[in-house]
Amino acid sequence: MSPSTPPTSISGGPSTAPPDLYGRERADRMMRALTVLGRLHTDAVAHRGRRRARSGAPHPPTRRAGMLELVVRERVVEAREVISLRLTAPAGGRLPDWQPGAHLLLELPSGRRRHYSLCGDPLDRYTYRIAIRRLPEGGGGSVEMHDALPVGATLRTVGPRNAFPFAAEPAVLFLAGGIGITPILPMVRQAARAGLDWRLIHLGRTRASLPFGAELSELCASSERFEVRADDEAGPPDCAELVGRAPAGAAVYCCGPAPMLAGVRAAVDAGPGGGLHFERFAPAPVVDGRPFELRLRRAGIDLAVPADRPALDVLREALPQTAYSCRQGFCGVCRVRVLAGEVDHRDLRLTDDERAAGAMLVCVSRAAEGERLVLDL
């Protein structure tokens, strides 16, 4: 099998230096210079963001206690419309540890906050790597990452979090759709190191659209363990047939678009496999929704939320600056305060006390049919 488009470096920077023989962090003069330039760039973007704030643009970033600053060390073209970024500490020091499946909640220079899966090697304690597919019709985060983050630019994060942990079962089938390879790739590395019985199938519309082809081919020395399946070569995938390739009793780890995930879930439920672990990179469709209303007290606006739409989407049409990230109810970025009304909480983050105090995540939570929620907005 021929790999997809090989990575193309567009920075040429060297790897982050490890500590010296005496355990001291090595200073990197080039990175210090790039960091200064990056901060100037970030401040300029933030200044433009402040001027756009009244027109509905995202709020400029603010420094929060406990946030970790990262510097873009390298940009690499991994496939058509896909880049990867290597991120380091400004002085090249050690970063917080992480495990396969972890992601970063990044605050961009514009103030947007977005989640990106870590797709590097967990044994590299000095570098984080993420990959981003450019989505011109999205919420603007991917376009900013592609077009407005040069080498040396700074980002902020609260550190790695893991909502898709790898349990390292003895037998594993990995299914990755397109950019869904990002959380899967570190799992494959761990499975290979641990000597597990594993298989990986990477699916996409074309080989050229699939990132990390050369890297995966090198990692998966045996062609029996790794397959690229492109729609333009083999037609749309049969999820039941894919799941049927799993070793006996294997766990299935899947990340990809919603139709693929739905097909895989149905196939796993119907088969004798060892269970399904999955992560979405798009919001789940609203199920069992009922129409309700939002009243924005400070804005003096009433909004109707249809049965099949999230409250976040309706809210952003009225207030485009509304912050959001995961759209799945676990990051907490879209949290708002409810002043009146009973919330149907569907998130995975808020505690009972937070809910009792009026907190709501508008990306997934709703209200009963005909109910009106009064928000402190």
Side-chain angles (χ1 to χ4, degrees):
M1 294 181 292
S2 60
S4 59
T5 306
T8 304
S9 174
I10 54 180
S11 77
S15 300
T16 305
D20 65 18
L21 293 176
Y22 300 98
R24 298 172 301 197
E25 305 293 350
R26 293 184 180 180
D28 189 322
R29 294 179 180 177
M30 178 179 290
M31 277 309 299
R32 284 202 300 266
L34 287 173
T35 299
V36 171
L37 293 174
R39 283 175 177 159
L40 292 174
H41 171 269
T42 299
D43 291 343
V45 173
H47 178 68
R48 291 196 298 270
R50 282 190 289 270
R51 290 189 300 175
R52 295 196 307 266
R54 291 184 179 180
S55 64
H59 292 298
T62 56
R63 293 186 181 273
R64 297 181 179 88
M67 293 197 78
L68 175 68
E69 189 171 80
L70 299 172
V71 178
V72 178
R73 175 77 172 199
E74 183 181 56
R75 291 166 53 97
V76 176
V77 177
E78 301 289 355
R80 184 184 304 156
E81 298 294 330
V82 178
I83 62 170
S84 69
L85 302 180
R86 284 202 309 122
L87 309 174
T88 69
R94 181 166 176 151
L95 297 171
D97 295 348
W98 60 280
Q99 298 297 321
H103 62 267
L104 293 177
L105 173 57
L106 291 172
E107 186 174 86
L108 310 186
S110 66
R112 295 183 178 94
R113 284 176 281 174
R114 295 292 186 269
H115 284 271
Y116 294 102
S117 296
L118 288 165
C119 58
D121 188 342
L123 297 185
D124 180 356
R125 304 305 191 189
Y126 296 85
T127 305
Y128 291 152
R129 184 177 69 169
I130 59 173
I132 308 99
R133 182 177 297 281
R134 195 177 196 277
L135 300 173
E137 305 303 321
S142 69
V143 173
E144 181 177 355
M145 297 288 278
H146 272 251
D147 297 351
L149 280 182
V151 172
T154 57
L155 300 166
R156 297 182 184 92
T157 181
V158 293
R161 299 176 179 176
N162 203 331
F164 187 32
F166 179 44
E169 293 92 340
V172 187
L173 173 66
F174 299 109
L175 298 175
I179 197 66
I181 191 63
T182 51
I184 296 293
L185 180 51
M187 298 182 187
V188 173
R189 288 190 181 280
Q190 183 171 331
R193 286 173 176 150
L196 307 181
D197 183 10
W198 59 274
R199 305 288 186 278
L200 167 64
I201 304 176
H202 195 184
L203 304 97
R205 295 179 179 176
T206 67
R207 288 179 183 266
S209 69
L210 298 178
F212 305 119
E215 183 174 334
L216 285 167
S217 295
E218 182 179 355
L219 176 63
C220 309
S222 170
S223 60
E224 296 178 357
R225 294 195 183 275
F226 175 45
E227 177 183 352
V228 173
R229 194 185 186 288
D231 293 352
D232 63 344
E233 299 173 6
D238 181 337
C239 292
E241 188 268 335
L242 296 177
V243 172
R245 300 191 197 181
V252 178
Y253 286 78
C254 179
C255 183
M260 172 187 168
L261 183 55
V264 170
R265 292 183 69 177
V268 170
D269 289 344
L276 173 65
H277 308 263
F278 64 90
E279 183 174 60
R280 300 178 183 274
F281 54 72
V286 176
V287 295
D288 300 328
R290 299 289 186 273
F292 65 100
E293 294 183 358
L294 295 175
R295 168 162 289 179
L296 313 186
R297 172 168 289 183
R298 285 184 281 149
I301 301 174
D302 291 333
L303 303 173
V305 181
D308 60 348
R309 296 190 68 196
L312 173 64
D313 288 358
V314 175
L315 187 58
R316 291 190 69 243
E317 290 175 354
L319 301 177
Q321 72 273 22
T322 302
Y324 72 95
S325 183
C326 74
R327 300 177 65 94
Q328 299 175 53
F330 66 81
C331 77
V333 170
C334 67
R335 177 173 176 160
V336 300
R337 183 179 173 218
V338 180
L339 302 175
E342 184 175 352
V343 179
D344 174 14
H345 291 284
R346 302 186 178 190
D347 66 274
L348 303 173
R349 181 178 180 87
L350 297 177
T351 66
D352 290 342
D353 288 344
E354 289 172 325
R355 293 175 177 180
M360 173 185 179
L361 301 189
V362 290
C363 65
V364 292
S365 295
R366 306 181 63 81
E369 185 170 5
E371 179 78 13
R372 172 180 288 174
L373 300 179
V374 181
L375 306 183
D376 187 19
L377 294 172

